[in-house]
Amino acid sequence: MEEKVQKTVSKEEQKRRKFMKQIAGFGVLGLAAAGGIWAAKDFKATKGRLRPPGAVPEDQYLSMCIKCGQCLQVCPYDSILLEDIDGKAGVGTAYIDPLARGCYLCEAFPCVLACPTGALDHEANVIEKVHMGMAIVVNESACIALDNQKVTADMIGRIYDHTKVITPEERQSRKVEIFDNDPEKVKLQKELLQKLSAQEGKSCALCAELCPYEPDPSQAIGMIAKDGGLFPEIREACIGCGACVELCPTKVLQILPYATYAEVYEKNKGSNNA
């Protein structure tokens, strides 16, 4: 029995390490930059930072994160940032700003595997074990789906502007093509842009249509009829990745880090208001 478990773990590790190798070499921090944040490790975290997948509770996270930047280096979507001195949120600690780039729940969670201390819990190696927070609606009246408005090129352009791996020409034209020799990281980000471009001219449902929760995004978020239009409904499987926050063109959504569905919605099921 023990031998069988070891073989299963070994197979999973091989799969995840292979994925990491595919995206290696992108977004790597310089040693000087990584080393320069050690002296600032005593800064306290500002409440409300969204942490990468697998993050342990905040106080524990701050004591365990050694600000090495390994999670940032292997993130295929460039979702992870390191806190700078102005933020005073545990300078050098890894976080995600969903307005700049959400987490797209990539296969195998290489950021978790890359963490050398367990600040990102190595048990969180599948989507069922990952919980980052909970999406909430903070600006209902701004939702353009309520008025059945269409997705425009400008809305799509925002996400092109967030994407670091494409060329200036691709960013300007709002069009990408995937080539056989593109690194895996580039392919993943271009695939996201192509899915986004396919929504142009359709009634806005970007948050639901591009939700990365697998195998069924509708378990995490879906569009429901409201006031003659449509409106996003946050559902129990939401894990707070922040992709919907980045995708929303009018800042309707926000993530409550570490919050659970029960805490936010249990008392008023079916409501999108926290």
Side-chain angles (χ1 to χ4, degrees):
M1 180 67 177
E2 182 178 351
E3 182 181 355
K4 183 178 180 180
V5 172
Q6 289 177 344
K7 287 182 179 179
T8 302
V9 172
S10 176
K11 184 177 179 180
E12 181 66 22
E13 285 294 297
Q14 289 175 8
K15 179 181 177 183
R16 297 172 71 200
R17 289 182 184 277
K18 180 181 178 181
F19 184 79
M20 287 179 65
K21 287 179 181 179
Q22 289 176 326
I23 61 173
F26 289 86
V28 180
L29 286 175
L31 291 176
I37 55 186
W38 284 83
K41 64 183 179 181
D42 291 330
F43 272 85
K44 298 295 183 182
T46 300
K47 187 176 181 181
R49 275 300 192 202
L50 181 63
R51 300 302 184 181
V56 296
E58 184 71 4
D59 289 344
Q60 187 180 358
Y61 177 84
L62 289 173
S63 66
M64 295 179 70
C65 176
I66 59 172
K67 297 88 175 171
C68 65
Q70 292 297 315
C71 57
L72 181 153
Q73 293 180 31
V74 300
C75 177
Y77 287 95
D78 296 314
S79 304
I80 300 175
L81 306 171
L82 297 185
E83 187 65 59
D84 62 25
I85 196 167
D86 294 328
K88 298 182 180 179
V91 173
T93 57
Y95 74 100
I96 292 172
D97 177 1
L99 288 173
R101 174 64 90 185
C103 169
Y104 286 88
L105 305 177
C106 54
E107 182 183 10
F109 294 101
C111 57
V112 175
L113 179 61
C115 179
T117 66
L120 304 182
D121 186 357
H122 288 194
E123 292 296 315
N125 57 6
V126 291
I127 199 165
E128 292 82 4
K129 296 181 180 180
V130 170
H131 187 81
M132 302 164 67
M134 184 58 52
I136 62 170
V137 172
V138 293
N139 192 12
E140 178 175 335
S141 62
C143 182
I144 64 174
L146 283 172
D147 297 324
N148 297 301
Q149 293 186 41
K150 310 295 185 184
V151 175
T152 68
D154 286 342
M155 296 174 191
I156 292 170
R158 293 172 45 256
I159 314 304
Y160 274 82
D161 291 339
H162 293 176
T163 306
K164 300 176 181 178
V165 299
I166 59 176
T167 66
E169 291 75 21
E170 289 171 322
R171 191 170 291 110
Q172 183 175 6
S173 68
R174 307 308 194 201
K175 184 178 180 180
V176 294
E177 182 179 352
I178 299 174
F179 300 100
D180 290 340
N181 62 347
D182 280 338
E184 187 70 13
K185 173 174 180 173
V186 176
K187 289 180 180 178
L188 287 171
Q189 295 198 39
K190 284 183 176 180
E191 286 172 0
L192 172 62
L193 293 174
Q194 288 183 342
K195 291 177 183 178
L196 181 67
S197 292
Q199 295 297 311
E200 185 176 355
K202 297 180 181 179
S203 294
C204 187
L206 293 176
C207 56
E209 290 293 332
L210 276 73
C211 172
Y213 184 84
E214 292 184 355
D216 184 2
S218 68
Q219 294 180 3
I221 186 172
M223 304 302 289
I224 59 172
K226 184 173 183 177
D227 299 334
L230 295 175
F231 193 72
E233 178 184 63
I234 309 304
R235 298 171 179 168
E236 194 167 2
C238 173
I239 62 175
C241 65
C244 59
V245 174
E246 180 190 7
L247 294 165
C248 177
T250 53
K251 299 182 180 179
V252 172
L253 299 159
Q254 184 176 309
I255 303 297
L256 291 181
Y258 295 105
T260 66
Y261 182 86
E263 291 170 339
V264 178
Y265 296 107
E266 190 69 23
K267 293 181 180 178
N268 297 292
K269 286 186 177 181
S271 169
N272 280 279
N273 296 309

